[in-house]
Amino acid sequence: MTASSPLPTTSPLDAMPWLPYAAGAVVLGLLGWLIVIGVRYLCADKETRRSIWQAARIRRTWPRLARNLGLVTTDRTPTFLQSIADTKGGKKPEPRILTPSLSTETDSYGVTVTVKTVPKIGLEEFQKRADHLADAWGCTRVSVNPAGPGRLRIRAVRREPLFEPYAYTPDGKPPADLSVWDLGIDEYALASVLRMSNVPGVCVAGLPGYGKTSLINGLISRLAPSGAVQFAVADGKVSEAHEGDYADVVNRLFAFVGDDLEAANKLFNRLVKLRRARSSSIRRVLGTTNMWSKGPSTAWPLVVLVIDEAHTYFREYKGADPATKRLAQLAADNARLVEDLVKKGRSVGIVVVLATQKATGDAIPTFIRDVCPVSLSFAQKTTDAAVAALGEDIRNWPDANPVTMQDPGFVGVASMVRQGHEGFTRIRVPYVEPDHVARVAEASAHLTADPFELLVLQAGPNLLKDTDFDTTA
């Protein structure tokens, strides 16, 4: 009897010789991912590490939390594969639970969660459950905003950014976009900006020592490195340029006046004449009727007039003696001239920043204050002062009311209307060391130029004769 030869044996590796390489690639990829995560964690600061753990917890618990909060939807329509699959006894496929997917980014203040929405679960549903999300994630607050078609951005703040010191060191570089002014960070630790394109006036109010002048000096230090911005200051707290809060930036100002009403009147007259000259020549020089359609330039700079302690220049004087009558006449004329700049300076590139303690009608005339589209208020003592600064709607937003910000921990914190959105937001203005402000002003002093002289260079020497400068019109 002849012995039979053994049957050849085959292994899975013979059929799939690439399998070890694929497994090795997966292992290497996983190892590389773990190394990246580990290095990122080790290089992070203490607070960011806590945020990384928080983000991991958010991702891990999200499927269950989403169901508990009703942030899921049931899809009863079979998929293509389900519709062609063989179902025993004609049993219908089980409906699917659709849970919004998410991804996370971390920083020292918390986590930013990007959510991809599902049908029936969108912005409104997430906003209604923001407080529940904050509780579940261990956050001080949560905000939900759209991040594009089918996407939401959830900002989960773990620690309070408004209570922590925040400093800014100017880098001396001109800003890339002069139509956007950086203010600081908001209550969600996100960058807060003012969109200044076509904005003619900004009103800043608040108690002394809470950050008004710091805000303005910070803005000057950011904008000064650009030759496309020129500054003038009227400071009602001092008499001379070397005094007070603007002494460090005086080299970067093309004009400065103190508390002298007559000197201020001359400056305001001068700027109204500039406004009229620009209005009469803008089409010929720029080829447009709105400077913002092209943006500021060194030849046609954005002119920023800062009027600090504005009530100094507008207060009503009562008395029959000649000196008082003279002051009353100057104050009334100052109000008329500044009204002209705020109402008509937008398209030619003139912005007026008015700062005062209480933005009531006796400090800033209502015909000026009410046409300033941007308002900020630091701490206030009374609700009436808050309403004067921010409008009646602030009564409906008690959390943002500046009356609640009188604690010393709120020095440098202001409330402002959310541009393009409903309601108000609070921002922390960064503190800029005076030495840094002085350094930037000194380094950019050579950029200072009189905007009227620049206009004459473009429009020609006949500008003075061709333009009607009657400011009483």
Side-chain angles (χ1 to χ4, degrees), residues 101-311:
S101 60
L102 55 77
S103 59
T104 59
E105 295 181 9
T106 59
D107 56 56
S108 63
Y109 288 99
V111 182
T112 299
V113 182
T114 301
V115 176
K116 186 176 181 182
T117 61
V118 296
K120 296 184 179 181
I121 304 297
L123 177 63
E124 183 178 355
E125 288 71 27
F126 273 89
Q127 287 179 334
K128 288 180 179 179
R129 294 160 178 82
D131 290 342
H132 297 295
L133 291 173
D135 292 338
W137 292 344
C139 301
T140 59
R141 66 176 66 90
V142 163
S143 71
V144 185
N145 293 289
R151 294 184 180 275
L152 303 175
R153 181 174 291 110
I154 303 177
R155 178 58 174 167
V157 180
R158 181 175 47 76
R159 61 191 181 104
E160 180 57 78
L162 296 181
F163 290 161
E164 299 192 6
Y166 172 45
Y168 167 70
T169 302
D171 57 11
K173 298 179 181 179
D177 185 0
L178 292 175
S179 68
V180 176
W181 293 3
D182 294 321
L183 290 181
I185 59 173
D186 66 10
E187 53 196 329
Y188 297 98
L190 300 176
S192 181
V193 299
L194 273 180
R195 290 176 174 81
M196 293 302 299
S197 177
N198 289 298
V199 170
V202 179
C203 183
V204 183
L207 294 175
Y210 273 81
K212 297 189 300 298
T213 304
S214 179
L215 165 66
I216 296 171
N217 266 331
L219 289 175
I220 292 177
S221 67
R222 291 178 187 268
L223 300 175
S226 173
V229 185
Q230 299 297 338
F231 305 93
V233 170
D235 187 1
K237 299 190 299 294
V238 300
S239 298
E240 301 294 337
H242 66 273
E243 303 171 345
D245 299 304
Y246 300 97
D248 292 330
V249 299
V250 70
N251 291 338
R252 188 59 179 87
L253 310 178
F254 74 85
F256 177 91
V257 296
D259 57 3
D260 187 295
L261 265 64
E262 188 168 359
N265 188 261
K266 290 179 180 179
L267 173 61
F268 300 154
N269 259 298
R270 178 180 170 191
L271 290 174
V272 169
K273 290 180 179 181
L274 172 66
R275 197 277 304 165
R276 288 179 173 271
R278 281 189 167 191
S279 296
S280 70
S281 60
I282 186 170
R283 187 185 295 272
R284 175 159 48 95
V285 175
L286 297 184
T288 181
T289 58
N290 189 337
M291 182 276 294
W292 287 106
S293 64
K294 292 192 173 183
S297 65
T298 54
W300 192 294
L302 174 66
V303 177
V304 179
L305 169 62
V306 176
I307 307 178
D308 203 345
E309 299 297 333
H311 53 273

